[in-house]
């Protein structure tokens, strides 16, 4: 995607996203045969439901039809959330993942799987699960130490409401 087209798409789409109280995470444009694929990825602190994606998709489609930003070719428009196993790349992603299990690739090498307890401007306080019956341990990780981070999917974790019951 050319920088000019990317910038034009962002200028066109971002106000529509903000009007729905969502944040624009990314715009991806790719080719699938003769058709283009425009994927708009949005998020919020409360998450994104299907109705919000559908409403936003209609608004973006109408706006795109009024412009020439996508050119003359055919394309598919998809409005979606980042997904449960999203990469964490911005401070707000870590804040939203508080309480979740994450996998970190560290610059020094090695991997760490731990639960985010708190997030501040410099890093996170985390709980590293105990192995083979051992108790969990606390660990501080600075953002500068992290090369890559991703939320881990947990199938057997109890919801907070279930734990309180």
């Amino acid at each position: 995607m050319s920088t000019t087209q990317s910038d034009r798409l962002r200028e066109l789409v971002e106000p529509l996203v903000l009007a729905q109280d969502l944040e624009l995470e990314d715009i991806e444009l790719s080719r699938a045969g003769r058709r283009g694929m425009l994927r708009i990825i949005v998020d919020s602190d409360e998450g994104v439901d299907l109705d919000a994606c559908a409403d936003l998709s209609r608004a973006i489609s109408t706006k795109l039809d009024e412009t020439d930003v996508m050119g003359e070719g055919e394309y598919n428009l998809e409005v979606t959330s980042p997904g449960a196993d999203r990469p964490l790349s911005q401070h707000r992603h870590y804040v939203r993942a508080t309480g979740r299990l994450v996998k970190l690739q560290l610059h020094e090498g090695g991997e760490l799987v731990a639960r985010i307890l708190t997030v501040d401007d410099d890093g996170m306080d985390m709980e590293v699960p105990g192995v083979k019956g051992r108790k969990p341990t606390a660990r501080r990780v600075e953002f500068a130490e992290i090369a890559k981070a991703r939320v881990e999917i947990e199938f057997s974790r109890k919801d907070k409401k279930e734990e309180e019951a």
Side-chain angles (χ1 to χ4, degrees):
M1 173 165 55
S2 72
T3 304
T4 305
Q5 186 178 25
S6 174
D7 292 343
R8 288 182 65 202
L9 281 167
R10 185 168 289 280
E11 288 173 12
L12 189 78
V13 168
E14 197 156 32
L16 300 172
V17 172
L18 293 172
Q20 299 245 356
D21 292 325
L22 299 172
E23 295 171 353
L24 181 59
E25 290 290 328
D26 200 7
I27 297 175
E28 298 173 357
L29 186 60
S30 60
R31 279 247 161 279
R34 290 183 290 145
R35 286 182 174 235
M37 175 65 166
L38 175 59
R39 179 174 292 122
I40 309 294
I41 303 169
V42 297
D43 203 4
S44 78
D45 289 340
E46 295 79 36
V48 181
D49 63 24
L50 288 174
D51 290 336
C53 286
D55 292 344
L56 185 56
S57 179
R58 283 188 289 276
I60 291 171
S61 180
T62 299
K63 196 69 163 176
L64 289 173
D65 289 346
E66 296 170 0
T67 71
D68 65 346
V69 71
M70 290 301 294
E72 295 297 319
E74 295 180 12
Y75 66 93
N76 290 327
L77 172 63
E78 177 182 325
V79 176
T80 186
S81 67
D85 63 344
R86 70 159 53 207
L88 305 174
S89 60
Q90 297 180 18
H91 185 269
R92 70 176 184 263
H93 298 161
Y94 291 96
V95 171
R96 287 182 186 147
T98 299
R100 305 278 310 267
L101 196 64
V102 297
K103 180 188 275 188
L104 307 176
Q105 299 286 330
L106 304 174
H107 285 297
E108 67 187 30
E111 228 174 53
L112 174 65
V113 177
R115 188 167 314 283
I116 299 174
L117 299 176
T118 61
V119 179
D120 59 35
D121 291 340
D122 300 316
M124 303 170 286
D125 292 318
M126 305 185 80
E127 179 183 78
V128 181
V131 180
K132 297 183 180 179
R134 294 186 182 164
K135 291 184 178 183
T137 57
R139 176 155 178 195
R140 173 77 182 173
V141 178
E142 302 296 323
F143 291 125
E145 299 175 62
I146 302 170
K148 289 183 181 178
R150 183 174 296 278
V151 171
E152 287 287 282
I153 303 295
E154 295 181 86
F155 293 105
S156 61
R157 183 167 187 240
K158 290 183 179 179
D159 191 350
K160 285 183 182 180
K161 293 176 186 175
E162 290 177 29
E163 291 174 359
E164 292 171 0

